Every structure is written in C-alpha cells, then in structure tokens.
Amino acid sequence: MAKGEQAARDIMREVKGAKVVARQLDLADTKSICQFAENIYNTEKTLHYLINNAGVAMCPYGTTADGFEMQFGVNHLGHFFLTFLLLDLLKHSAPSRVINLSSTAHTMGKIQFDDLSGEKDYHPVRAYAQSKLANVLFTRELAKRTEAQGVMAYSVDPGMVNTEITRHIKRPLVDFVKTVSFLLKTPAEGAYTTIYCTVTPENQLLTGGHYKDCALTESSRAGQDDGTALKLWAVSCHLLGIRWR
C-alpha cells in the first residue's frame, strides 16, 4: 500500500487536477477481492475501465488463500472473479471496457484441465503460460457475453517489460535477463498498448481482440479456441462457486 499511495501522490503532483486513490486488493484471496469490490460499489458511481494488470510469474509452487495454484489463481481466477463482481457497475456505466493483460508466453500455453491445481506435474514456466493463455480465452468469451450490454473486452500483450515480475526467476536465467535488460521496455513503454486499448475510439477496436504494439494481432491458435474458452469459463465458475450467466 505504501508504494501504491506514493505512486498516487506522484501522479497528482505531476498531473494537474488528477484524482488518484490507492486501494488494497489481494488477488490471491477471494475475501480480499469481495472487500475491494464492495468498497468500489460504496464509493464509486461509475466504472468505465477495468484493467486487469496484476500478476505473478514463474514462481515456485504455492497456493492462494482458497487453495488454487498461485499463478492460475492470481493471474486468471482472481481477475475472473473481480470482473464478475464489478460487472453490474461496468454495465451501468456503459460504454465501458475490460482490458486483460496477457503475455507472449500465452503462445506456449495449454489449459491443463486434468491438473489445474498443478499437483501432478508443476513447472513454473508452464503454469505461467497456462495462466496467460487463460487471460486470452477469458477475454474472448467475456466479449461475446457482454457486447450487447455495452461492455467491450480486449487482451493485451505488453511485450517484455523490465519490472519486478521477474523476481522469481532463478540463475542463470536471471543473469541473462540482466544482460539483455537494455532490450526490455520500460514500465511506461509496457503500458502503451493498454493505454491504446483504453483511449482509442470503440469503433476502431475489435471486442474480444488481442492487441500488441498498439495494433490488433492474432493470438495463438489455442487462444482462438472457442470450445476451450467456454469450458474454461464453466470450470472457473465451478471453482469459484459462482453462477455467471
């Protein structure tokens, strides 16, 4: 929270008239997600943009407060649940947008429906790729379900960005990352495509589309599998104990 509040102060100091509020949210805990959503409903009249940007990457095996594998739990289920809880406000505020941050790693991903918990065969990179593919599939299915209500959805590949998300990467890979850090995007550059999907007129964007370098691009073949997207949706609802029509 201290870092978030400092960032909020920095923005308000640099941007005249800006109003920025930092709020606590732990995507590894459904109770925290519920509290955050309740806070939003109690304090905000409208919600035009929901940017699901948080994430963990290539961490050792661990589970969320609710027992989900950490990367799938935070990167996919946490954002899925948050979007579900805030959807009424997004619909009320239409036209509105949901932007899900994926990764190039989604191209290596496969949804392991028989081992979503990662208990049988956990690999940090494979689990990360699965969670990022889930972001793309969630976006496609969400777009179909909410377009009629004025809520559009986009998935974004920000590219390789130099942030603390690499903190779990072990040597020698971390040494390699340091040597090529000059090729990585800064956090500001990494935000360009997200901002593009936020501010570009709706009629110039494709809901359900995948964006990279401020342009529409094709996701992997697995990311375009509507059957898998529908199954993932149903399984996610079952795991979270929710009914999302």
Side-chain angles (χ1 to χ4, degrees):
M1 281 305 292
K3 284 176 80 175
E5 284 160 356
Q6 183 59 55
R9 286 193 292 272
D10 291 346
I11 294 167
M12 287 190 283
R13 191 178 64 248
E14 291 173 28
V15 183
K16 193 176 177 183
K19 186 186 172 194
V20 185
V21 180
R23 300 245 162 98
Q24 185 150 6
L25 169 62
D26 181 358
L27 284 161
D29 185 348
T30 53
K31 282 200 186 113
S32 172
I33 299 169
C34 287
Q35 286 165 355
F36 174 83
E38 188 177 354
N39 192 316
I40 295 297
Y41 278 103
N42 289 338
T43 57
E44 306 297 330
K45 292 185 179 69
T46 57
L47 174 60
H48 292 288
Y49 307 102
L50 173 60
I51 300 170
N52 290 320
N53 181 68
V56 289
M58 294 167 270
C59 51
Y61 182 78
T63 56
T64 68
D66 303 275
F68 306 126
E69 186 275 310
M70 186 63 73
Q71 297 190 77
F72 188 75
V74 171
N75 298 356
H76 170 60
L77 290 175
H79 288 129
F80 186 95
F81 190 46
L82 178 63
T83 306
F84 166 76
L85 293 176
L86 295 177
L87 194 62
D88 282 345
L89 191 53
L90 285 161
K91 288 176 181 175
H92 169 75
S93 312
S96 54
R97 304 178 189 191
V98 178
I99 298 165
N100 295 317
L101 270 283
S102 182
S103 161
T104 304
H106 91 271
T107 59
M108 302 185 294
K110 182 176 185 243
I111 308 297
Q112 305 283 348
F113 286 110
D114 60 339
D115 188 29
L116 287 173
S117 63
E119 290 175 338
K120 293 182 192 167
D121 183 22
Y122 180 77
H123 189 282
V125 175
R126 197 161 58 231
Y128 179 66
Q130 171 179 252
S131 73
K132 294 288 105 181
L133 173 59
N135 295 147
V136 176
L137 293 168
F138 169 44
T139 303
R140 283 178 74 89
E141 187 62 26
L142 179 67
K144 284 184 189 173
R145 290 169 181 252
T146 60
E147 185 175 11
Q149 285 104 21
V151 183
M152 306 302 147
Y154 314 103
S155 61
V156 166
D157 174 359
M160 293 286 286
V161 187
N162 195 5
T163 67
E164 290 181 17
I165 199 166
T166 56
R167 62 186 172 273
H168 293 297
I169 298 175
K170 302 273 193 294
R171 299 182 76 169
L173 191 55
V174 71
D175 297 327
F176 172 73
V177 170
K178 282 178 183 167
T179 61
V180 298
S181 61
F182 68 95
L183 294 171
L184 302 179
K185 293 179 179 180
T186 64
E189 289 167 343
Y192 286 172
T193 305
T194 300
I195 294 167
Y196 173 82
C197 286
T198 308
V199 302
T200 300
E202 201 177 277
N203 61 3
Q204 294 176 32
L205 296 170
L206 175 68
T207 189
H210 186 60
Y211 286 82
K212 182 178 182 179
D213 296 328
C214 299
L216 181 66
T217 185
E218 276 205 348
S219 62
S220 67
R221 186 177 291 179
Q224 297 174 50
D225 188 329
D226 290 331
T228 303
L230 188 60
K231 184 176 180 182
L232 177 66
W233 185 282
V235 168
S236 302
C237 287
H238 175 71
L239 289 170
L240 291 162
I242 59 176
R243 290 184 68 188
W244 191 339
R245 295 166 191 221

